[in-house]
Amino acid sequence: MKTKATLEQRLVRLASSGIAGVGGRMIRAGGPGALLPRILSEIDETLLPRQVTLAAGNDRSVVLSVTNGRVLRVNAVDGVADPEGLTGETLEPGDAQAMASLKALFEDLAGDEDQVLVRQETVIDDLDAAQAGLSAESLAKAWETSFVPADLSEGEELAGAAIDTFLQATQDVVTAWLMTGPETSESEGAGPADAVDELTAFAEARRETGEASKHITDAKDEPWSFLVLRRGAEAADVTVIVAVDGILLYLSVGQEHLGKVADAWRTAVPA
Amino acid sequence: MAILQHLEELRLGLPAVEIVAYMDLRSGTVLGKSVAGDEPQERLDALCALAGDVLGGDAGETDEAVMMRSTEALVLRRAPGAPAEALCLVCAPDVDISQVMEGARRALDAAA
């Protein structure tokens, strides 16, 4: 069964090209120890050749080559123990030892944290990996974790495309964005860390008070799907909340750019 | 209350605006309005309740809000110096939001 978190991940994947910027995107899990399925989803949804960097606190990072939903290689680790010497080795399908080592690597990376920064870079050289490497699904099975492969309905694909189009059209004027749901603590975002944190705190406050749904996703008649809030008379940025098919997108935007953002919403998001 | 004198002028100056209403958020009362056509009181009362919800939410007070859906757009703005009062403009969905926000700000500043 699909989960809203899976949908959100997939939507972010759809929106990831160029949106996240050099700073990357923050993947947040529901709590400590819940990051492995999110990392597997990230791998599963990476279809084109990418170098994927997963970074956590204390300068810990793991750099992977990923394509076609499969991890081909661990390119580098920093601040993370690699006792089995996985770094630089090409991963072979079904290699149980490599799967266990990779799990230990990710667990060491995540530690007690519930979030990890993800950066993706296009790999120029040809990676032919239709069957090579370790697929996210095989890793999930070996690790006995509840990874849910993305499997979207046509309507969800349309919603994802709408968000993708909207983010592409506004990326020059959006300071930061955060994607979440009205009833989940899981979220992903991009932009300066303090701006993303501020959006996260606001989204959580709205979820706790029930405002995240009010007038937006639970309206009896047509819901309001675009909301701008200016909080504080001197605030330079306003908060824009866009609702698409139950997904909430929080954006921090300079007030002078509201016209462009509103036009992008009208164009991208189906009525 | 000087803003009440400006409601009609504000609506006529912004062609896409159909309703301009000045509201007391605390009591949920419409203090004054300028309306292009016939609008039932229930509609205005509902707008007043919505404005109170959005501007005075528990997650933090908001000074200004814009709400849009495919059929209409709303601009809500608290009155400077009278935070329990707010201006509400109901507009066509394709309105120039920045222009309406600026019009609301000017009207409230002029009345302050």
Side-chain angles (χ1 to χ4, degrees):
Chain A
M1 186 176 137
K2 290 188 291 290
T3 65
K4 189 59 76 181
T6 304
L7 173 59
E8 288 162 8
Q9 285 177 294
R10 180 59 179 267
L11 295 180
V12 174
R13 171 66 40 251
L14 286 166
S16 66
S17 57
I19 300 293
V22 294
R25 294 175 292 107
M26 192 66 77
I27 291 179
R28 290 184 170 86
L35 266 175
L36 275 184
R38 305 293 312 265
I39 292 173
L40 287 175
S41 292
E42 189 74 23
I43 293 166
D44 180 61
E45 295 157 11
T46 301
L47 301 180
L48 299 175
R50 293 283 186 268
Q51 177 162 283
V52 178
T53 301
L54 306 170
N58 297 325
D59 296 326
R60 287 171 293 155
S61 65
V62 173
V63 184
L64 310 168
S65 285
V66 181
T67 188
N68 197 33
R70 310 173 78 90
V71 184
L72 303 186
R73 193 167 50 244
V74 178
N75 295 327
V77 299
D78 190 4
V80 177
D82 180 20
E84 305 297 331
L86 210 57
T87 305
E89 297 295 318
T90 299
L91 303 175
E92 299 295 338
D95 184 339
Q97 181 60 48
M99 288 193 230
S101 299
L102 196 57
K103 183 183 183 188
L105 215 59
F106 288 158
E107 287 177 336
D108 193 16
L109 172 77
D112 293 331
E113 298 185 36
D114 63 355
Q115 62 183 32
V116 63
L117 186 71
V118 179
R119 283 193 300 273
Q120 288 211 4
E121 300 164 65
T122 302
V123 176
I124 305 300
D125 60 331
D126 182 30
L127 287 177
D128 180 14
Q131 299 302 323
L134 300 171
S135 71
E137 288 193 57
S138 69
L139 289 170
K141 189 174 179 183
W143 299 350
E144 297 180 342
T145 190
S146 56
F147 163 64
V148 181
D151 177 20
L152 302 181
S153 69
E154 185 180 353
E156 288 164 336
E157 290 282 7
L158 285 173
I163 290 180
D164 183 37
T165 303
F166 176 73
L167 284 174
Q168 290 281 0
T170 58
Q171 61 178 312
D172 293 340
V173 298
V174 168
T175 306
W177 61 262
L178 181 85
M179 190 177 299
T180 185
E183 295 171 0
T184 176
S185 61
E186 294 190 348
S187 64
E188 297 192 21
D194 57 343
V196 175
D197 288 346
E198 204 275 335
L199 289 176
T200 304
F202 185 54
E204 287 178 358
R206 285 178 59 82
R207 186 175 60 254
E208 287 172 4
T209 60
E211 289 171 68
S213 300
K214 211 169 185 181
H215 311 302
I216 295 181
T217 60
D218 66 354
K220 292 186 178 67
D221 51 4
E222 184 189 342
W224 300 93
S225 56
F226 184 95
L227 179 62
V228 180
L229 302 175
R230 184 170 61 82
R231 296 172 286 139
E234 304 304 320
D237 278 8
V238 295
T239 305
V240 176
I241 306 171
V242 174
V244 183
D245 195 28
I247 302 294
L248 296 180
L249 191 60
Y250 288 76
L251 306 106
S252 186
V253 179
Q255 182 153 333
E256 69 274 21
H257 300 303
L258 265 186
K260 179 172 182 176
V261 175
D263 286 344
W265 170 80
R266 291 184 182 110
T267 303
V269 180
Chain B
M1 284 299 188
I3 184 67
L4 297 180
Q5 301 160 9
H6 299 286
L7 298 183
E8 188 86 352
E9 185 182 333
L10 177 59
R11 183 178 64 79
L12 295 175
L14 296 167
V17 175
E18 296 154 8
I19 299 173
V20 178
Y22 193 66
M23 303 166 162
D24 184 325
L25 301 174
R26 199 172 292 148
S27 64
T29 308
V30 177
L31 301 173
K33 64 180 188 292
S34 172
V35 182
D38 292 331
E39 282 292 340
Q41 186 61 39
E42 292 77 12
R43 160 99 160 127
L44 296 171
D45 291 342
L47 285 172
C48 202
L50 179 63
D53 266 354
V54 173
L55 294 181
D58 293 334
E61 288 206 339
T62 298
D63 294 310
E64 188 174 27
V66 177
M67 304 178 75
M68 295 172 63
R69 55 186 174 190
S70 65
T71 53
E72 62 185 338
L74 297 186
V75 172
L76 308 168
R77 189 181 178 99
R78 280 185 195 278
E85 297 175 7
L87 195 58
C88 171
L89 295 88
V90 181
C91 321
D94 58 350
V95 69
D96 181 337
I97 285 296
S98 299
Q99 185 184 34
V100 175
M101 292 172 76
E102 178 62 16
R105 185 189 66 77
R106 285 187 183 179
L108 286 169
D109 286 349

PDB file of all heavy atoms in Angstrom, chain A residues 15-44:
ATOM      1  N   ALA A  15      10.797  16.664  -8.717  1.00  0.00           N
ATOM      2  CA  ALA A  15      11.125  18.081  -8.694  1.00  0.00           C
ATOM      3  C   ALA A  15      12.600  18.345  -8.472  1.00  0.00           C
ATOM      4  O   ALA A  15      13.009  19.477  -8.386  1.00  0.00           O
ATOM      5  CB  ALA A  15      10.329  18.765  -7.589  1.00  0.00           C
ATOM      6  N   SER A  16      13.405  17.315  -8.424  1.00  0.00           N
ATOM      7  CA  SER A  16      14.755  17.501  -7.900  1.00  0.00           C
ATOM      8  C   SER A  16      15.735  18.139  -8.871  1.00  0.00           C
ATOM      9  O   SER A  16      16.706  18.726  -8.442  1.00  0.00           O
ATOM     10  CB  SER A  16      15.316  16.159  -7.445  1.00  0.00           C
ATOM     11  OG  SER A  16      15.486  15.313  -8.551  1.00  0.00           O
ATOM     12  N   SER A  17      15.492  18.047 -10.149  1.00  0.00           N
ATOM     13  CA  SER A  17      16.514  18.506 -11.078  1.00  0.00           C
ATOM     14  C   SER A  17      16.654  20.021 -11.025  1.00  0.00           C
ATOM     15  O   SER A  17      15.799  20.749 -11.466  1.00  0.00           O
ATOM     16  CB  SER A  17      16.164  18.078 -12.501  1.00  0.00           C
ATOM     17  OG  SER A  17      14.911  18.576 -12.847  1.00  0.00           O
ATOM     18  N   GLY A  18      17.760  20.450 -10.437  1.00  0.00           N
ATOM     19  CA  GLY A  18      18.035  21.878 -10.410  1.00  0.00           C
ATOM     20  C   GLY A  18      17.337  22.630  -9.302  1.00  0.00           C
ATOM     21  O   GLY A  18      17.683  23.752  -8.998  1.00  0.00           O
ATOM     22  N   ILE A  19      16.346  22.037  -8.679  1.00  0.00           N
ATOM     23  CA  ILE A  19      15.598  22.763  -7.662  1.00  0.00           C
ATOM     24  C   ILE A  19      16.382  22.810  -6.361  1.00  0.00           C
ATOM     25  O   ILE A  19      16.410  23.825  -5.682  1.00  0.00           O
ATOM     26  CB  ILE A  19      14.249  22.074  -7.407  1.00  0.00           C
ATOM     27  CG1 ILE A  19      13.441  22.036  -8.686  1.00  0.00           C
ATOM     28  CG2 ILE A  19      13.471  22.792  -6.321  1.00  0.00           C
ATOM     29  CD1 ILE A  19      12.992  23.360  -9.171  1.00  0.00           C
ATOM     30  N   ALA A  20      16.970  21.690  -6.031  1.00  0.00           N
ATOM     31  CA  ALA A  20      17.578  21.608  -4.705  1.00  0.00           C
ATOM     32  C   ALA A  20      18.787  22.514  -4.576  1.00  0.00           C
ATOM     33  O   ALA A  20      19.101  22.962  -3.492  1.00  0.00           O
ATOM     34  CB  ALA A  20      17.983  20.160  -4.415  1.00  0.00           C
ATOM     35  N   GLY A  21      19.457  22.841  -5.682  1.00  0.00           N
ATOM     36  CA  GLY A  21      20.631  23.678  -5.606  1.00  0.00           C
ATOM     37  C   GLY A  21      21.798  22.924  -4.987  1.00  0.00           C
ATOM     38  O   GLY A  21      21.712  21.740  -4.671  1.00  0.00           O
ATOM     39  N   VAL A  22      22.881  23.635  -4.799  1.00  0.00           N
ATOM     40  CA  VAL A  22      24.087  22.964  -4.329  1.00  0.00           C
ATOM     41  C   VAL A  22      23.944  22.512  -2.878  1.00  0.00           C
ATOM     42  O   VAL A  22      24.693  21.666  -2.412  1.00  0.00           O
ATOM     43  CB  VAL A  22      25.314  23.882  -4.472  1.00  0.00           C
ATOM     44  CG1 VAL A  22      25.592  24.144  -5.930  1.00  0.00           C
ATOM     45  CG2 VAL A  22      25.087  25.198  -3.724  1.00  0.00           C
ATOM     46  N   GLY A  23      23.017  23.093  -2.156  1.00  0.00           N
ATOM     47  CA  GLY A  23      22.877  22.754  -0.747  1.00  0.00           C
ATOM     48  C   GLY A  23      22.228  21.412  -0.514  1.00  0.00           C
ATOM     49  O   GLY A  23      22.356  20.846   0.556  1.00  0.00           O
ATOM     50  N   GLY A  24      21.550  20.876  -1.487  1.00  0.00           N
ATOM     51  CA  GLY A  24      20.893  19.587  -1.350  1.00  0.00           C
ATOM     52  C   GLY A  24      19.538  19.694  -0.662  1.00  0.00           C
ATOM     53  O   GLY A  24      19.051  20.773  -0.372  1.00  0.00           O
ATOM     54  N   ARG A  25      18.941  18.537  -0.456  1.00  0.00           N
ATOM     55  CA  ARG A  25      17.623  18.464   0.170  1.00  0.00           C
ATOM     56  C   ARG A  25      17.738  17.714   1.483  1.00  0.00           C
ATOM     57  O   ARG A  25      18.551  16.810   1.627  1.00  0.00           O
ATOM     58  CB  ARG A  25      16.637  17.716  -0.732  1.00  0.00           C
ATOM     59  CG  ARG A  25      16.318  18.419  -2.011  1.00  0.00           C
ATOM     60  CD  ARG A  25      15.432  17.569  -2.896  1.00  0.00           C
ATOM     61  NE  ARG A  25      16.132  16.388  -3.391  1.00  0.00           N
ATOM     62  CZ  ARG A  25      15.913  15.160  -2.972  1.00  0.00           C
ATOM     63  NH1 ARG A  25      15.004  14.919  -2.052  1.00  0.00           N
ATOM     64  NH2 ARG A  25      16.576  14.139  -3.475  1.00  0.00           N
ATOM     65  N   MET A  26      16.910  18.076   2.433  1.00  0.00           N
ATOM     66  CA  MET A  26      16.930  17.401   3.714  1.00  0.00           C
ATOM     67  C   MET A  26      15.816  16.357   3.728  1.00  0.00           C
ATOM     68  O   MET A  26      14.656  16.672   3.485  1.00  0.00           O
ATOM     69  CB  MET A  26      16.709  18.404   4.849  1.00  0.00           C
ATOM     70  CG  MET A  26      16.993  17.835   6.218  1.00  0.00           C
ATOM     71  SD  MET A  26      18.746  17.442   6.435  1.00  0.00           S
ATOM     72  CE  MET A  26      19.426  19.088   6.713  1.00  0.00           C
ATOM     73  N   ILE A  27      16.180  15.115   3.992  1.00  0.00           N
ATOM     74  CA  ILE A  27      15.193  14.050   4.159  1.00  0.00           C
ATOM     75  C   ILE A  27      14.984  13.862   5.646  1.00  0.00           C
ATOM     76  O   ILE A  27      15.939  13.663   6.394  1.00  0.00           O
ATOM     77  CB  ILE A  27      15.691  12.723   3.556  1.00  0.00           C
ATOM     78  CG1 ILE A  27      15.743  12.808   2.041  1.00  0.00           C
ATOM     79  CG2 ILE A  27      14.775  11.580   3.974  1.00  0.00           C
ATOM     80  CD1 ILE A  27      16.241  11.529   1.416  1.00  0.00           C
ATOM     81  N   ARG A  28      13.734  13.944   6.059  1.00  0.00           N
ATOM     82  CA  ARG A  28      13.431  13.751   7.476  1.00  0.00           C
ATOM     83  C   ARG A  28      12.559  12.523   7.651  1.00  0.00           C
ATOM     84  O   ARG A  28      11.592  12.340   6.911  1.00  0.00           O
ATOM     85  CB  ARG A  28      12.706  14.978   8.036  1.00  0.00           C
ATOM     86  CG  ARG A  28      13.603  16.197   8.139  1.00  0.00           C
ATOM     87  CD  ARG A  28      12.855  17.345   8.802  1.00  0.00           C
ATOM     88  NE  ARG A  28      13.745  18.444   9.124  1.00  0.00           N
ATOM     89  CZ  ARG A  28      14.078  19.414   8.286  1.00  0.00           C
ATOM     90  NH1 ARG A  28      13.588  19.416   7.076  1.00  0.00           N
ATOM     91  NH2 ARG A  28      14.896  20.380   8.651  1.00  0.00           N
ATOM     92  N   ALA A  29      12.892  11.708   8.615  1.00  0.00           N
ATOM     93  CA  ALA A  29      12.073  10.535   8.930  1.00  0.00           C
ATOM     94  C   ALA A  29      11.204  10.855  10.133  1.00  0.00           C
ATOM     95  O   ALA A  29      11.350  11.893  10.770  1.00  0.00           O
ATOM     96  CB  ALA A  29      12.971   9.343   9.218  1.00  0.00           C
ATOM     97  N   GLY A  30      10.290   9.960  10.427  1.00  0.00           N
ATOM     98  CA  GLY A  30       9.364  10.193  11.537  1.00  0.00           C
ATOM     99  C   GLY A  30      10.049  10.153  12.888  1.00  0.00           C
ATOM    100  O   GLY A  30       9.500  10.622  13.869  1.00  0.00           O
ATOM    101  N   GLY A  31      11.253   9.615  12.988  1.00  0.00           N
ATOM    102  CA  GLY A  31      11.961   9.545  14.261  1.00  0.00           C
ATOM    103  C   GLY A  31      13.276   8.830  14.072  1.00  0.00           C
ATOM    104  O   GLY A  31      13.581   8.331  12.982  1.00  0.00           O
ATOM    105  N   PRO A  32      14.097   8.799  15.127  1.00  0.00           N
ATOM    106  CA  PRO A  32      15.393   8.118  15.032  1.00  0.00           C
ATOM    107  C   PRO A  32      15.210   6.662  14.623  1.00  0.00           C
ATOM    108  O   PRO A  32      14.270   5.995  15.048  1.00  0.00           O
ATOM    109  CB  PRO A  32      15.936   8.222  16.465  1.00  0.00           C
ATOM    110  CG  PRO A  32      15.211   9.378  17.074  1.00  0.00           C
ATOM    111  CD  PRO A  32      13.857   9.380  16.445  1.00  0.00           C
ATOM    112  N   GLY A  33      16.103   6.164  13.787  1.00  0.00           N
ATOM    113  CA  GLY A  33      16.017   4.776  13.352  1.00  0.00           C
ATOM    114  C   GLY A  33      15.103   4.552  12.162  1.00  0.00           C
ATOM    115  O   GLY A  33      14.990   3.441  11.668  1.00  0.00           O
ATOM    116  N   ALA A  34      14.423   5.602  11.735  1.00  0.00           N
ATOM    117  CA  ALA A  34      13.466   5.446  10.641  1.00  0.00           C
ATOM    118  C   ALA A  34      14.020   5.931   9.304  1.00  0.00           C
ATOM    119  O   ALA A  34      13.286   6.048   8.335  1.00  0.00           O
ATOM    120  CB  ALA A  34      12.175   6.202  10.969  1.00  0.00           C
ATOM    121  N   LEU A  35      15.317   6.187   9.279  1.00  0.00           N
ATOM    122  CA  LEU A  35      15.887   6.764   8.061  1.00  0.00           C
ATOM    123  C   LEU A  35      16.165   5.736   6.966  1.00  0.00           C
ATOM    124  O   LEU A  35      16.146   6.083   5.788  1.00  0.00           O
ATOM    125  CB  LEU A  35      17.187   7.491   8.398  1.00  0.00           C
ATOM    126  CG  LEU A  35      17.061   8.993   8.676  1.00  0.00           C
ATOM    127  CD1 LEU A  35      18.409   9.542   9.119  1.00  0.00           C
ATOM    128  CD2 LEU A  35      16.573   9.745   7.458  1.00  0.00           C
ATOM    129  N   LEU A  36      16.439   4.499   7.343  1.00  0.00           N
ATOM    130  CA  LEU A  36      16.814   3.520   6.314  1.00  0.00           C
ATOM    131  C   LEU A  36      15.789   3.401   5.185  1.00  0.00           C
ATOM    132  O   LEU A  36      16.161   3.415   4.013  1.00  0.00           O
ATOM    133  CB  LEU A  36      17.062   2.151   6.950  1.00  0.00           C
ATOM    134  CG  LEU A  36      18.464   1.902   7.527  1.00  0.00           C
ATOM    135  CD1 LEU A  36      18.577   0.470   8.028  1.00  0.00           C
ATOM    136  CD2 LEU A  36      19.545   2.180   6.503  1.00  0.00           C
ATOM    137  N   PRO A  37      14.487   3.282   5.505  1.00  0.00           N
ATOM    138  CA  PRO A  37      13.514   3.211   4.402  1.00  0.00           C
ATOM    139  C   PRO A  37      13.513   4.462   3.526  1.00  0.00           C
ATOM    140  O   PRO A  37      13.322   4.373   2.311  1.00  0.00           O
ATOM    141  CB  PRO A  37      12.169   3.061   5.132  1.00  0.00           C
ATOM    142  CG  PRO A  37      12.511   2.486   6.459  1.00  0.00           C
ATOM    143  CD  PRO A  37      13.838   3.086   6.813  1.00  0.00           C
ATOM    144  N   ARG A  38      13.760   5.617   4.140  1.00  0.00           N
ATOM    145  CA  ARG A  38      13.788   6.852   3.347  1.00  0.00           C
ATOM    146  C   ARG A  38      15.003   6.846   2.417  1.00  0.00           C
ATOM    147  O   ARG A  38      14.916   7.294   1.277  1.00  0.00           O
ATOM    148  CB  ARG A  38      13.835   8.087   4.255  1.00  0.00           C
ATOM    149  CG  ARG A  38      12.730   8.195   5.293  1.00  0.00           C
ATOM    150  CD  ARG A  38      11.345   8.409   4.696  1.00  0.00           C
ATOM    151  NE  ARG A  38      11.248   9.430   3.700  1.00  0.00           N
ATOM    152  CZ  ARG A  38      10.875  10.690   3.931  1.00  0.00           C
ATOM    153  NH1 ARG A  38      10.619  11.080   5.159  1.00  0.00           N
ATOM    154  NH2 ARG A  38      10.740  11.552   2.951  1.00  0.00           N
ATOM    155  N   ILE A  39      16.125   6.360   2.906  1.00  0.00           N
ATOM    156  CA  ILE A  39      17.316   6.289   2.059  1.00  0.00           C
ATOM    157  C   ILE A  39      17.090   5.292   0.922  1.00  0.00           C
ATOM    158  O   ILE A  39      17.459   5.539  -0.235  1.00  0.00           O
ATOM    159  CB  ILE A  39      18.551   5.893   2.902  1.00  0.00           C
ATOM    160  CG1 ILE A  39      18.901   7.028   3.877  1.00  0.00           C
ATOM    161  CG2 ILE A  39      19.740   5.559   2.014  1.00  0.00           C
ATOM    162  CD1 ILE A  39      20.000   6.678   4.872  1.00  0.00           C
ATOM    163  N   LEU A  40      16.440   4.189   1.224  1.00  0.00           N
ATOM    164  CA  LEU A  40      16.149   3.196   0.177  1.00  0.00           C
ATOM    165  C   LEU A  40      15.220   3.769  -0.882  1.00  0.00           C
ATOM    166  O   LEU A  40      15.374   3.503  -2.077  1.00  0.00           O
ATOM    167  CB  LEU A  40      15.541   1.937   0.801  1.00  0.00           C
ATOM    168  CG  LEU A  40      16.526   1.068   1.591  1.00  0.00           C
ATOM    169  CD1 LEU A  40      15.795  -0.087   2.268  1.00  0.00           C
ATOM    170  CD2 LEU A  40      17.628   0.533   0.679  1.00  0.00           C
ATOM    171  N   SER A  41      14.240   4.567  -0.453  1.00  0.00           N
ATOM    172  CA  SER A  41      13.358   5.206  -1.423  1.00  0.00           C
ATOM    173  C   SER A  41      14.149   6.151  -2.320  1.00  0.00           C
ATOM    174  O   SER A  41      13.910   6.234  -3.530  1.00  0.00           O
ATOM    175  CB  SER A  41      12.256   5.992  -0.700  1.00  0.00           C
ATOM    176  OG  SER A  41      11.381   5.113  -0.050  1.00  0.00           O
ATOM    177  N   GLU A  42      15.072   6.860  -1.728  1.00  0.00           N
ATOM    178  CA  GLU A  42      15.908   7.777  -2.495  1.00  0.00           C
ATOM    179  C   GLU A  42      16.670   7.000  -3.575  1.00  0.00           C
ATOM    180  O   GLU A  42      16.766   7.440  -4.722  1.00  0.00           O
ATOM    181  CB  GLU A  42      16.890   8.472  -1.545  1.00  0.00           C
ATOM    182  CG  GLU A  42      17.686   9.594  -2.151  1.00  0.00           C
ATOM    183  CD  GLU A  42      16.857  10.844  -2.362  1.00  0.00           C
ATOM    184  OE1 GLU A  42      15.838  10.993  -1.672  1.00  0.00           O
ATOM    185  OE2 GLU A  42      17.218  11.649  -3.232  1.00  0.00           O
ATOM    186  N   ILE A  43      17.201   5.851  -3.200  1.00  0.00           N
ATOM    187  CA  ILE A  43      17.933   5.018  -4.164  1.00  0.00           C
ATOM    188  C   ILE A  43      16.974   4.483  -5.232  1.00  0.00           C
ATOM    189  O   ILE A  43      17.246   4.546  -6.427  1.00  0.00           O
ATOM    190  CB  ILE A  43      18.634   3.851  -3.427  1.00  0.00           C
ATOM    191  CG1 ILE A  43      19.736   4.396  -2.518  1.00  0.00           C
ATOM    192  CG2 ILE A  43      19.196   2.830  -4.420  1.00  0.00           C
ATOM    193  CD1 ILE A  43      20.267   3.383  -1.512  1.00  0.00           C
ATOM    194  N   ASP A  44      15.822   4.006  -4.780  1.00  0.00           N
ATOM    195  CA  ASP A  44      14.865   3.387  -5.693  1.00  0.00           C
ATOM    196  C   ASP A  44      14.388   4.366  -6.766  1.00  0.00           C
ATOM    197  O   ASP A  44      14.172   3.993  -7.912  1.00  0.00           O
ATOM    198  CB  ASP A  44      13.664   2.884  -4.889  1.00  0.00           C
ATOM    199  CG  ASP A  44      12.623   2.216  -5.768  1.00  0.00           C
ATOM    200  OD1 ASP A  44      12.960   1.206  -6.410  1.00  0.00           O
ATOM    201  OD2 ASP A  44      11.482   2.713  -5.832  1.00  0.00           O
TER     202      ASP A  44
END
